[in-house]
Every structure is written in C-alpha cells, then in structure tokens.
Amino acid sequence: MPEDEPSGLRRRAVLGGVGAAVAASAVAPVARAADALTQPGQARESDFTTGWRFALANPDGVTDPGGRFTDAAKPAFDDSGWQVVDVPHDWSIELPPTDKGTSSGSGFFRGGLGWYRKTFTLPPSLAGKRVSVEFDGVYSDAHVYLNGELLGNHPYAYTGFAFDLTGRLHTDGRTPNVLAVRATNPLPSSRWYSGSGIYRRVRLVVTEPVHVARHGTFVTTPDIAAGRGTVRVATDVVNDSGASVTVQVRTTVTDPAGRVVANGSATVAVAAGRTATAAGELRVERPQLWSGEKPRLYRLRTDVVVAGRVLDTTTTDFGFRYTEFHPDNGFSLNGVPMKLRGVNLHASQGALGAVIDPAALEHQMRLMLAMGVNALRTAHNPPDPQLVTVCERLGIVMMVEAFDCWRTGKLEYDYHRDFDAWSGRDIAEMVHAAKNSPAVVLWSIGNEVPDASMAGGPQIAADLIAAVRAIDPTRPVVMGSDRYRGVPAPGSPQDLILKQLDGLGVNYNTAQSIDGLHKQYPDKFFFESESSSATSTRGVYQEPDLLNTGENYTPGKRATSSYDNNLASWTFSGEYSLKKDRDRKFFQGQFLWSGQDYLGEPTPYDVFPVKTSFFGAIDSAGLPKDAFHLFRSQWTTAPMVHLTPMDWTNHRAGEPVAVWVYSTVDTVELVLNGKSLGVEKFDRKTTADGRPYLETSEPVGDDKKDPSGSYTSPNGGRGKLHLTWTVPFEPGTLTAIARAGGREVARDELVTAGPPRAVKLRVEAPGGGVVAGAMTFMTASVVDARGVVVPGAEPVLRFAVRGPGRVAGVDNGRQELAQSYQQPTIPAFKGLAVAVVAATGGRGPITVTASAPGLVPGTITLPGTPLGQRNGPGARAVETAVVPAASTADASYSGAPDTLPAAMLDGNPATGWSNYYVKQATSTLNAVSRPRAEDWVSLSWPSAQRISAVTANFVVDAKLALPVAVEVTHRTARGFEPVRNLRITWGTGSNDPTSFAFDPVVTTEVRVTMTARGFLRISALLAR
C-alpha cells in the first residue's frame, strides 16, 4: 500500500468524488423519520446505505402470497412493521439453512422475494440539479420505484446500474420521497451461493446539468518510456441543459504522495441534450510504476468548467504499468517475467454471506497474499468495485469475468433468460466499472459456457469481444473453458472462438493437452483459469499412500483428506497442477480453484447439512488448510516449513503417522522429543528454460497418460513437492527444522495437547497487514493448560460483545454444519472457530469475550471506530440451538451414501453399513477401490445400558469378507476401554449372525473395531 495512504481502505467512487452528504436522521426501530440531505452542493455523491426498511415477502418463491405487497412501492404504504436494515444486506444468510425447497448448490439457503424501502427528504437547493441513484449490485432482477413510479429494472445481479431521478423528486425539504426496490432470487438461480437483496452499495449522485457522464473518464498510460510517462485521458461530458455550451475540461494528476505532477485542459462544445468527449494527453516525469511489490497509485482530478465556473469535479485513481501476455515467453509486468499465481474466488464472504464489506474483502485478499497469490479471477461475474480497489492497493492483478453462461443456461433461473436482451449492456458495464484500474489485466467473456461447443457460439463470442474492445482496446480478451481438453477440430465452434480471442484460460487440462493447444495455436497465449480443485477439510487426513481416496459418508464425519489426495473425476492434485504450470515457460500461470471454501457446491457430497465447498486453500472461516502451505511453498521464497498433519494429539501410541513437510528450503530435519528422525532433502533442479526449483526424484505415479506413469517435466524430472517421513506416534513435540547452509532458517512445531483448559482469542492480521475497518476477524482457540490448541476439542463457543459492536457472523470452517452463521454461538472445529465482529460506529472500546462451559474464557479489546452500521450484518441474528439428530448407530467410515450405519438397524437384510467404495478415475489417475485396514461400528443409547453381547450379521461375497480380528470396547469416563473375556462365535454363512460375548458392562456406547483384508458389510447390528 502506498506510504501516503491511510491504513484503512479509501472508498472507491465509481463516478468520482467521495462525500457524505446524506446525514443520518436514520430510521430507528421505534421512532421513524426521513433522512435529510444536508450541506447541499458540497458533495457529488452521498452514501445511501442506511435507514432502509426490508420485508421478506416470500422466502420460498418469487410470488406475493395473498397480494400483501401489491402496493409496496407506493409512498403511502405502511412499512412501519418492516425490519430496519442498512445495506449492503443479504437476507438469505439471515435465514436458517434447510433442505426443504433448496439444494446444495445454494448451500441449502433460501431465496425468494424481498422488498426494500427508503424514505428521505431533499432541500430546495437541489431544484434544477441532476439527481440519480446508483446501485453497485442487487441479487437479483431489481425493480426500482420512486414515489410509486417504476424507474426500470435490472436483471443481472453482478453489474451496477443507475436511474435518473431528476424531475420525479420532491425538493421542498418537507415532502418525503420513497425509493422502493423489489428483488427476487428464484431457486435454482446460481450454481453456488449467491445471497439475496441489495448486497452492494447504493449512492445518491447530485450534479449540475453539465457534468461528467457516469463512467465518463477513461485513463490509459500508453507510452511509458525511460524517465517519463504519457497519461491519455478521455472525458465524456453530458449537457442536460437546454442550450449548447462550450466546456473546458481541466485535468490534474497527483502522484502517490499527493504532489501535483501534471496539468492539462481541453475544450469541447456540447450540444443541448448531448454528450461529447474531450481528449488530451499529459506528461509525467519519472513515473512510479504500479507493481505487485509497490502498487503505486496516481490520481486524476477532472474539473468541468463553463464560463469560468466549476460545475463538476471527479477523481479517478490509476497507475503506470505495462503488461505483456506472450504466447511463448509468458506474462510480464513492467517488463519483468512472472507467473500468474492466481486464485478463483466467488463473491460471498463466509459468515457474512454475500454482503460486501471492504474490511472483509481486504482480510480475504491479505490471506491470499500470504499464500503468495499475485492474481485473482472474479469467478464467474463482475466484481464489486470495492474488490477492485482492494486489489489495486495490494498489488494483485485481476482477470475480470462477465458470465457463467450465455444463451444456453446451466440452471432453470440463471442468466441465460436475460442474455439476449442484456448481455451487451452488462459486459459494457463490467468494462466501464473497472477500466481505469491498473490491477485489471484481462477481460473474460465467460466461464465454461455450453455455447462454446454449439453452432451459435462463435457469433456470440464475436459480439461480446466487440463490445469489450469498443470500450477498452488496451487489454486482452479471454474466456475460461472446460471445452478445450483436446485440440479442437478445424472449423469447430471451439476453434472459431479461440481464433477470435487473444488467449484462453483452460480448466483442468492435462499437461499433454496444454502442450497440444500451444502447438496448434502458436499465436495465442494459454493459462489455467481453474487448476487443481483437490478437496480437503482442515485437520482431516486419510490414506496418505493413496493418490486418490474415497469419501466418508457417515453423518457427522463427511469430510475429505488434507493429504492433497481427494480428487473428483475432472480434478488434479495441487502438486500436479503446480508442476505442469512451472515447467512451461509459455504458460502464463494458473488460478487455483479455489482460494477459499465458499457456500454451495459441496463436492463430493450432495446432502444436508454439508453446505460449503471443499476446494479452498483456506476454509470458509479463513483458517488455512495444508493446501495453503503447499502453494505457499511454491509461490513464495522466504524460508518457511510446514508440518502435515497439523495434529500431533489424536493418534494411538506406536501408530505409524505419515508426516509430510512443505518447505521453500531444500534441507529439513525432523525431530521428535529432542531425538532426530533424520534429514530429508529436495533435489535442486532447473526447468528447461533455466528457472530453479526444488523437488524430490522418486516417481510419483500421478499421470497414467505419461509413458513413465508419472508426470515428467521437459527436463526429465519426476518427483514430489513435499518431503516424507513415517513416524511411530509418541506424545510430545514434533519439530521440522529447515536449514540453509547449515543454519536454521525456519521451523514448524506440533505439540501433543492435554485436556481443554481455556479459550484464547486473537485478532487475525494475515501477512502482518493491519486491516482497518468496520469488520474485525478474530479466532477463538480451545487450548490446554500450556496454551496448546486441542485439535479434538469441539465445545460450543459463545461470543459476547460489550461496547459499540456486535457479532456479525461466526464460522468454524467445517463443511458439514447444520446451523446458521448469523448467531453468536458455534462449536469449535479442530479446536478453532472464528467470529466476525462488526463495529456500530459508537464511541469507546469494543470488548469481545469467547466462552465455553468449563473453560476459562478469552477476552480481547478492540479500539472503537467511527465506521460501522447500526443495522448491518448480524444485527438481526438470533441464537438457534442445533439439536443433533439422534444416532444410535455410528461408524468410523461409510463408503457410499446408501451404506450408512443406520442401515444396520432398519430390519432389512438387503441393506446395511459398508466401508466398500469405488473412487472414480480421473484423467491422470486410475480408479481406486482398496480395502481399508481397519474400521469400527458402534451402538449408543441416551442413558447407560447393561449389555453382555453384540451380534453382527456380516455379508460375504467376492468383494466383501469377514474381519480377521475384532476388538470390542465400551465407553467409560476415561474413554473407550476393552471389554473383558471376549468370546467370538462366527456365523457359518453370509448374513449369518456373529456373536461377540463378554462380561457384562454398563455403558452408553459399545464399539466393534474390525481389522480386515477385504471390504466389510454388516446388515444388522444388535446389542443385548
């Protein structure tokens, strides 16, 4: 961030100048008044986000049952019973998740029909002014009314829009104006969680009749020569007066320190009711370039002057930088070669839902920076302008994307319904909104659109490309696609579209297919717009010796392995994606799918309450997974080392634990309780074009398409991006020490935790950056007496706030979570949870306490801030206890959705529990179906029972076998303990009962642990 900038983000104005001309005589819950416009003429635009009233007309559909809201747009409509809200607002995240009428795609959240109303007055001084209202985004199909009159509608949720209010407003200072917005979210309308409502900012814009048009300034820096830079400015001036005028457009450039470095002016005649463009160039001596390391921003001030009077002033931030996407040499910024180390991110913000908050956006992007990210793809829609601001101030380049579909839809209610009528306007809005940002380097016309392989696709692409280039011919136009995994046939729609594009983002391509495309289209540049998509759950590990593992479908245990080894049929491991990108100089880079888990698309599960994705390098709460450290080890250069698994507690004595180490250093020693377990080293290798890297040399077996069976780089290298040890578990301290030249440069340490003792609170400041704003992210850790996080602790944490703040949302990163995020309590997951605390703009400190029964609470105090909203996120949160479903049968692992533990109790011998699974093949890996070495099943009761035997009906066939050894344990106050005098009577045939008898015990749970050489299936389980 430039040194002259404050630590908080400066708000980016789409139209230019920033102001706060709307004062809050805001609507209060009990005493309602209209907002009053004060200090007229001092601000071009006014924040219009407070004092709204909201009613959820129908959460289950877009109709108005009973016609209760037929007159909701009329000024006289009684909205006194509506909720008071500040926008941005997302009504879906405030509703409890449910599997009734929803789907996993929406994260099991509802949408429906909602209404917003805002009442305000305007002073007589605004008579004769031009007044408009601007929305950055409404989900979706916004219909906007003023004083009962429909101004118009805007279907697309991800582009901004404005309506002219001039001539329709009361400006006597007394008569209220009523702005009403109708928004709908018909399900299914999105493949991921979208949120619902006015989820982005709203502004009131006041100008003279002669003014700069909306998005009317375009700044480019076409010539950056040694010692000087050219600033080319095009300014669209609107004349809404009744007479022609001669306008002088004065431009002033200030550098990052605020010093004036250039001035210019141009004169243009503008006819009445018309728009004209004033163009000019300025020279800046010794311009400071915008880059990832030093994202220096300049500011252009534009004054519209008529007859010596300044009628309008806007400001536009821009940067000096130049880029190249070379088909052979890759991407460069300011002449410096660099790979795109990118991530995909959807627009939602975890526990905040779709609500756009600048501090939350900065927090998220600083987490990405800490992983080594330098690029963001706005998947799969135009971003909020505030996200563009964050990226340009943090030095992150952007691929801004327009649509997830064109004319052919993917869901019943997605954008395909509006594409023909609106796509030209929406893609133009996308370009206009971000065209001045130095962060934006690519425009994308779509993602995985079905039309790309249809006859009409090339013409659609041509129209979209032309619409982009008509506004901005300076940046390449690309798309992201899954329809180029082979070289297209000549003349096919894919071929014709690619020939029109400047470059192509491929999704989930093998190394071989990437090489084939590069050879066939040597004048196009290629990158991976979606890479890897390996799934993982923070702190969960499974079968590290397998390159692809099955999933556990047992309720309460639906998770995936963090050993970079859980892959869907179309995906790749993170290591494979990193290697194929690294080894190809021509490849511009990659965008990992995804930077963070997001609500919806919970692959590989499709069952309530699994409601977030598993793809992220960090979880939905913002807590890093092991994948974060894998990419960090390849995308950063500072010494680092990371131990996987992140748990040295929940293992049995002597159990062999696969320990992986990610590091940017070639030599690592592993030490357990002071005893060295040996030193492992990466080999130092060099790509075919001379770039150094670290990798082991053992064949991985990760690419069945390669003749060797392993991914092989052009230099012949094969290997892993991690070091491995197998360590018999022993409680204590496990340490990884990274050394360079014999000197320790980094270490990571895991300590066996004792019983939970306390809750510890800390404020997250990723990468050492300070995120100032109305939202603060804090992590609660359940720790033992020594302060060690207890990875198995999952007590319910309660967050309480004193002072001018509130809990805006809570999350623990667990994908299988039935509860709402909008409440002050949440169970810890793997010992951790996160609370988002929102300031309410009052004076005094904000004190946050996290507590749990039987634990010492943790407290932290934050300084107060004038920022914040009284009725923003979390203001309507209601604590709702989530009662777990009664489960009398459980299992360590269930291999399929229809072989769950409950099937052992349904009395049907044709159904039952099983650990049998088949993991589908991927494009580089064979299918997997390997018997598990050990699993357990159990029976439990609400109150203690006296039992002396368990009977299990084992199914035996060509795939299923009897266990070779069985242990029966029962729950005690000390944990599970073996029963005494176990006696086994094996059944004589398939599905015959096998009896496990033992000395009587009184317990609430009995567990049967089975060692096996084949898969297991039990059709009935009974205790007596």
Side-chain angles (χ1 to χ4, degrees):
M1 189 172 290
E3 293 181 0
D4 64 309
E5 290 298 328
S7 58
L9 284 176
R10 186 173 59 208
R11 201 179 81 189
R12 179 185 183 85
V14 171
L15 286 182
V18 180
V22 172
S25 105
V27 180
V30 290
R32 180 166 177 265
D35 289 346
L37 192 69
T38 62
Q39 299 177 318
Q42 293 189 8
R44 189 182 201 271
E45 69 170 46
S46 305
D47 181 88
F48 223 50
T49 59
T50 61
W52 291 79
R53 284 185 173 259
F54 168 72
L56 181 55
N58 183 0
D60 299 309
V62 297
T63 59
D64 176 11
R68 294 180 298 128
F69 298 90
T70 301
D71 297 326
K74 295 181 179 180
F77 185 86
D78 182 9
D79 61 10
S80 60
W82 290 18
Q83 294 178 346
V84 180
V85 302
D86 295 332
V87 299
H89 172 248
D90 173 11
W91 80 66
S92 289
I93 200 68
E94 296 180 349
L95 301 174
T98 176
D99 57 352
K100 304 297 189 294
T102 62
S103 68
S104 62
S106 69
F108 298 105
F109 285 93
R110 292 181 288 174
L113 167 65
W115 276 92
Y116 296 84
R117 285 168 54 99
K118 181 175 174 64
T119 303
F120 59 100
T121 59
L122 297 177
S125 59
L126 292 193
K129 305 285 188 180
R130 305 299 301 185
V131 183
S132 62
V133 62
E134 291 202 349
F135 296 82
D136 283 342
V138 177
Y139 203 103
S140 62
D141 194 20
H143 284 69
V144 182
Y145 302 80
L146 178 67
N147 298 328
E149 178 186 354
L150 176 65
L151 300 175
N153 77 300
H154 186 84
Y156 197 32
Y158 297 106
T159 49
F161 57 96
F163 289 113
D164 186 7
L165 310 182
T166 309
R168 299 178 173 92
L169 290 161
H170 304 296
T171 56
D172 57 10
R174 299 183 307 276
T175 307
N177 295 284
V178 177
L179 188 69
V181 180
R182 178 185 186 271
T184 62
N185 181 5
L187 299 180
S189 64
S190 174
R191 295 188 298 119
W192 57 90
Y193 177 84
S194 64
S196 304
I198 307 177
Y199 73 105
R200 294 181 179 179
R201 295 175 304 171
V202 186
R203 293 172 299 284
L204 196 70
V205 179
V206 179
T207 69
E208 297 291 342
V210 179
H211 58 276
V212 177
R214 181 170 180 265
H215 300 317
T217 302
F218 188 22
V219 186
T220 57
T221 56
D223 178 25
I224 303 175
R228 69 180 188 278
T230 299
V231 181
R232 185 173 295 165
V233 183
T235 308
D236 295 334
V237 179
V238 178
N239 179 9
D240 283 329
S241 73
S244 297
V245 294
T246 298
V247 176
Q248 183 187 28
V249 178
R250 298 175 184 169
T251 51
T252 304
V253 175
T254 53
D255 69 8
R259 297 181 293 259
V260 174
V261 293
N263 289 288
S265 68
T267 300
V268 62
V270 190
R274 305 299 293 270
T275 299
T277 301
E281 288 189 355
L282 302 90
R283 289 282 180 156
V284 174
E285 299 298 321
R286 296 179 297 279
Q288 303 174 56
L289 300 186
W290 184 94
S291 67
E293 295 74 25
K294 295 181 179 179
R296 300 181 176 108
L297 290 171
Y298 284 71
R299 173 161 288 186
L300 176 79
R301 171 178 170 138
T302 301
D303 292 311
V304 173
V305 183
V306 176
R309 181 186 172 206
V310 177
L311 298 184
D312 195 15
T313 297
T314 65
T315 59
T316 305
D317 289 345
F318 70 98
F320 289 92
R321 62 104 176 101
Y322 57 97
T323 64
E324 182 180 20
F325 290 86
H326 194 281
D328 293 320
N329 299 326
F331 174 66
S332 64
L333 175 62
N334 301 328
V336 178
M338 58 184 283
K339 285 278 190 179
L340 294 174
R341 305 188 301 269
V343 291
N344 289 272
L345 289 172
H346 278 315
S348 58
Q349 288 287 304
L352 301 178
V355 167
I356 294 295
D357 176 81
L361 292 172
E362 184 177 351
H363 172 79
Q364 182 184 52
M365 295 314 302
R366 285 193 179 275
L367 281 169
M368 298 298 103
L369 280 177
M371 189 170 68
V373 165
N374 64 16
L376 169 67
R377 179 189 183 207
T378 65
H380 301 293
N381 40 257
D384 185 274
Q386 294 179 100
L387 178 56
V388 179
T389 297
V390 168
C391 289
E392 69 187 19
R393 298 194 183 283
L394 295 182
I396 298 170
V397 301
M398 302 181 72
M399 171 182 170
V400 172
E401 192 153 74
F403 310 117
D404 189 45
C405 68
W406 294 345
R407 185 170 294 144
T408 302
K410 301 175 182 178
L411 297 172
E412 184 178 0
Y413 298 111
D414 65 15
Y415 186 69
H416 77 278
R417 301 180 303 155
D418 303 301
F419 182 83
D420 284 341
W422 284 90
S423 59
R425 284 173 282 183
D426 284 328
I427 202 165
E429 175 70 17
M430 175 190 82
V431 176
H432 277 305
K435 64 189 177 186
N436 293 312
S437 176
V440 178
V441 297
L442 291 170
W443 301 118
S444 170
I445 60 174
N447 168 70
E448 296 187 352
V449 293
D451 297 277
S453 55
M454 297 180 179
Q459 185 58 54
I460 296 175
D463 293 342
L464 295 175
I465 293 168
V468 172
R469 289 177 177 160
I471 300 166
D472 176 21
T474 69
R475 296 174 175 91
V477 181
V478 299
M479 64 184 291
S481 184
D482 59 346
R483 294 170 188 264
Y484 292 84
R485 293 175 186 168
V487 174
S492 66
Q494 292 96 317
D495 174 64
L496 297 176
I497 290 174
L498 180 50
K499 287 177 177 176
Q500 300 178 68
L501 296 168
D502 297 301
L504 179 68
V506 296
N507 292 358
Y508 315 113
N509 280 43
T510 64
Q512 295 85 352
S513 66
I514 289 168
D515 291 339
L517 287 167
H518 176 56
K519 181 179 179 180
Q520 183 68 23
Y521 299 92
D523 60 331
K524 304 297 181 183
F525 65 84
F526 294 92
F527 60 97
E528 195 157 23
S529 41
E530 291 182 26
S531 70
S532 183
S533 275
T535 60
S536 61
T537 300
R538 176 176 54 82
V540 172
Y541 305 93
Q542 181 181 328
E543 298 165 319
D545 55 323
L546 286 178
L547 294 171
N548 201 5
T549 66
E551 288 81 44
N552 189 351
Y553 289 88
T554 305
K557 300 179 179 66
R558 298 179 181 110
T560 60
S561 174
S562 284
Y563 277 120
D564 192 28
N565 65 340
N566 186 263
L567 308 173
S569 61
W570 67 90
T571 65
F572 302 91
S573 69
E575 293 201 13
Y576 182 92
S577 294
L578 284 161
K579 291 186 293 187
K580 73 182 179 188
D581 173 29
R582 174 199 68 199
D583 291 333
R584 287 158 176 80
K585 182 181 180 181
F586 72 84
F587 213 45
Q588 314 294 308
Q590 64 176 300
F591 291 87
L592 170 66
W593 192 275
S594 58
Q596 183 170 9
D597 285 349
Y598 52 90
L599 290 169
E601 286 192 314
T603 303
Y605 301 100
D606 188 14
V607 60
F608 186 81
V610 187
K611 61 181 189 288
T612 72
S613 76
F614 292 72
F615 300 119
I618 61 176
D619 66 24
S620 59
L623 301 172
K625 307 182 195 177
D626 295 276
F628 174 94
H629 300 283
L630 163 61
F631 280 83
R632 179 182 166 216
S633 73
Q634 303 302 305
W635 285 355
T636 66
T637 57
M640 58 79 61
V641 63
H642 171 76
L643 282 164
T644 298
M646 298 188 288
D647 176 355
W648 200 247
T649 300
N650 296 309
H651 306 279
R652 299 189 305 271
E655 174 189 349
V657 180
V659 176
W660 292 14
V661 167
Y662 300 119
S663 182
T664 56
V665 182
D666 66 349
T667 302
V668 178
E669 181 182 16
L670 196 64
V671 178
L672 178 59
N673 294 329
K675 179 182 178 181
S676 177
L677 301 181
V679 173
E680 295 288 344
K681 293 185 177 182
F682 289 108
D683 294 326
R684 292 184 174 273
K685 301 180 181 180
T686 305
T687 62
D689 60 297
R691 291 171 287 117
Y693 64 94
L694 300 178
E695 186 181 82
T696 67
S697 289
E698 70 269 34
V700 182
D702 58 353
D703 191 351
K704 65 186 179 184
K705 291 191 174 183
D706 192 283
S708 71
S710 298
Y711 169 82
T712 304
S713 66
N715 63 11
R718 295 194 297 272
K720 300 175 181 177
L721 302 182
H722 65 273
L723 302 173
T724 58
W725 287 259
T726 299
V727 181
F729 177 70
E730 175 185 307
T733 301
L734 182 70
T735 307
I737 303 171
R739 292 187 176 92
R743 181 176 62 89
E744 179 181 333
V745 293
R747 70 165 50 200
D748 190 22
E749 195 169 80
L750 299 172
V751 180
T752 304
R757 172 68 182 277
V759 180
K760 182 179 179 181
L761 274 179
R762 73 178 188 273
V763 173
E764 291 297 323
V770 177
V771 179
M775 297 287 181
T776 302
F777 291 74
M778 53 185 60
T779 299
S781 307
V782 180
V783 299
D784 67 7
R786 297 167 297 163
V788 176
V789 175
V790 184
E794 298 188 354
V796 175
L797 299 172
R798 179 181 300 276
F799 295 91
V801 180
R802 297 197 313 274
R806 66 173 174 275
V807 176
V810 292
D811 196 358
N812 60 14
R814 186 173 188 169
Q815 292 104 344
E816 185 181 17
L817 182 67
Q819 75 163 68
S820 167
Y821 298 100
Q822 296 280 295
Q823 61 178 44
T825 60
I826 193 168
F829 179 60
K830 303 299 178 182
L832 302 174
V834 169
V836 186
V837 175
T840 54
R843 294 183 177 181
I846 303 169
T847 301
V848 184
T849 300
S851 60
L855 302 180
V856 177
T859 300
I860 196 167
T861 298
L862 309 172
T865 171
L867 303 174
Q869 296 177 322
R870 285 181 296 168
N871 299 296
R876 289 158 298 283
V878 177
E879 182 176 345
T880 304
V882 176
V883 180
S887 176
T888 55
D890 198 5
S892 58
Y893 182 90
S894 302
D898 59 351
T899 58
L900 305 182
M904 297 184 294
L905 308 182
D906 63 3
N908 184 354
T911 63
W913 163 85
S914 179
N915 61 6
Y916 177 80
Y917 73 92
V918 175
K919 185 65 177 178
Q920 193 175 357
T922 74
S923 58
T924 57
L925 299 174
N926 293 315
V928 180
S929 183
R930 191 183 76 173
R932 293 171 55 82
E934 181 181 282
D935 272 309
W936 57 259
V937 294
S938 71
L939 293 171
S940 60
W941 306 271
S943 57
Q945 304 289 319
R946 184 178 188 275
I947 61 169
S948 58
V950 175
T951 300
N953 289 35
F954 289 98
V955 177
V956 179
D957 59 23
K959 297 176 181 176
L960 305 168
L962 291 172
V964 297
V966 173
E967 180 186 41
V968 179
T969 57
H970 67 292
R971 184 182 292 277
T972 72
R974 296 172 296 278
F976 282 95
E977 297 184 355
V979 297
R980 295 181 179 180
N981 195 22
L982 177 63
R983 304 174 300 279
I984 303 176
T985 304
W986 294 100
T988 57
S990 179
N991 233 344
D992 286 345
T994 292
S995 174
F996 306 105
F998 42 84
D999 293 349
V1001 297
V1002 177
T1003 185
T1004 58
E1005 186 175 2
V1006 62
R1007 177 179 292 182
V1008 179
T1009 302
M1010 301 158 287
T1011 303
R1013 296 193 181 97
F1015 287 110
L1016 300 168
R1017 181 181 177 95
I1018 299 175
S1019 62
L1021 188 67
L1022 176 68
R1024 49 185 170 79

